[in-house]
Structures are given as structure tokens and as C-alpha cells.
Amino acid sequence: MDTSWWLALAAVVLLALVATLVDGWGRRSHRPVRPRGRELAQPRPAEIWWARVPYEDRHGVKDRPCLVLAVRGELATVAKITSKYHDERGGVIPLPPGAVGDSQGRASFLETDELRDVPLWEFRRRVGVVDPTLWDQVRYLAG
């Protein structure tokens, strides 16, 4: 009985396994790619966006509103927008109700004392553009 086909089958299976492993390693080593259809929506300075912004608080990294101050390469410098006023912090600027696009139209506050760099692929939804007067107040923050 001829068993040479067993060797050929084993070689094909081994080759497929190696190709799968190499492909997996290659995909894991690259940074995340923005989903299709999102390429056209790039954040720009003076825009308010919802993005996954890493701030040190009890909530950690989560989607939150932010003001884009600058875009450089694959990173955007942002200032956090919060719904709670912190009078002990300097650089808190009130925003008009509904500025972050929430359904309740709550008041929001821009915190300019703690800026973050966020990868562009972490931006989820554009809300709008800030008032030109406010933009003139904060545009210098990104350097």
C-alpha cells in the first residue's frame, strides 16, 4: 500500500498551521486601524468629539466628550469636557447647555488644566464646533 500521500497531507497541514501563526503574529504587532467609513471623519481643532480618553479617575478610560485643540500626525491633543463643575480647579470654562450633544441638554464644563494626547482611531462621534469666542480663549493651550 502506498502511504506517500500521508506525508504530503501532513506537509500541507503543517504549512497551513505555520501560515496561520505567522499571520496572527503580524496582525497583533500593528496598531489598530480605524473601521472602514471612518476615514473621512478626522477630528480637527475647535471641534467637540466623543472619544476614548484616558483620564485618571474612578471611571478610567471610557468614551467622554472632549475639545480637540490640535492634531499632529496620528495624535490629537484634547481637553476634557465634564458635566460636573469643580470650583477647586483652575481653568474650568462653562459651555452652553447641549454643547456635547447629550439628549438632556445638560450644562458642561471644559477643563483646560489637564490635556491628553489621544490616538485618532479612538475618536467615535463628532458633536460640533465650539463658539469662536471660546476657541480664541483656548486655542493657545496646545502650543
Side-chain angles (χ1 to χ4, degrees):
M1 174 174 224
D2 183 22
T3 59
S4 62
W5 66 274
W6 281 100
L7 291 174
L9 180 62
V12 168
V13 169
L14 182 63
L15 190 59
L17 179 63
V18 169
T20 302
L21 289 174
V22 169
D23 183 52
W25 284 325
R27 289 176 191 264
R28 187 174 43 181
S29 67
H30 296 298
R31 70 177 198 280
V33 177
R34 295 183 91 182
R36 289 207 170 270
R38 303 269 307 262
E39 293 88 359
L40 300 177
Q42 291 283 336
R44 296 176 187 228
E47 293 181 340
I48 296 175
W49 280 74
W50 282 81
R52 289 188 46 83
V53 181
Y55 277 96
E56 298 300 324
D57 63 8
R58 61 188 176 97
H59 301 294
V61 177
K62 67 174 196 168
D63 281 359
R64 47 180 106 223
C66 58
L67 172 62
V68 178
L69 298 170
V71 178
R72 294 180 186 98
E74 294 291 319
L75 293 175
T77 302
V78 301
K80 179 170 77 168
I81 298 174
T82 181
S83 60
K84 295 183 178 119
Y85 179 73
H86 300 283
D87 57 353
E88 72 278 2
R89 297 180 80 161
V92 177
I93 301 172
L95 297 174
V100 299
D102 66 340
S103 59
Q104 289 90 14
R106 295 174 282 199
S108 299
F109 303 91
L110 180 66
E111 295 183 354
T112 62
D113 63 335
E114 192 177 348
L115 307 181
R116 292 286 189 263
D117 287 329
V118 179
L120 295 182
W121 57 83
E122 296 292 2
F123 285 81
R124 306 289 187 238
R125 177 174 59 99
R126 181 182 178 272
V127 177
V129 180
V130 295
D131 179 77
T133 305
L134 174 63
W135 179 243
D136 285 341
Q137 284 181 295
V138 299
R139 69 184 320 151
Y140 73 91
L141 291 172

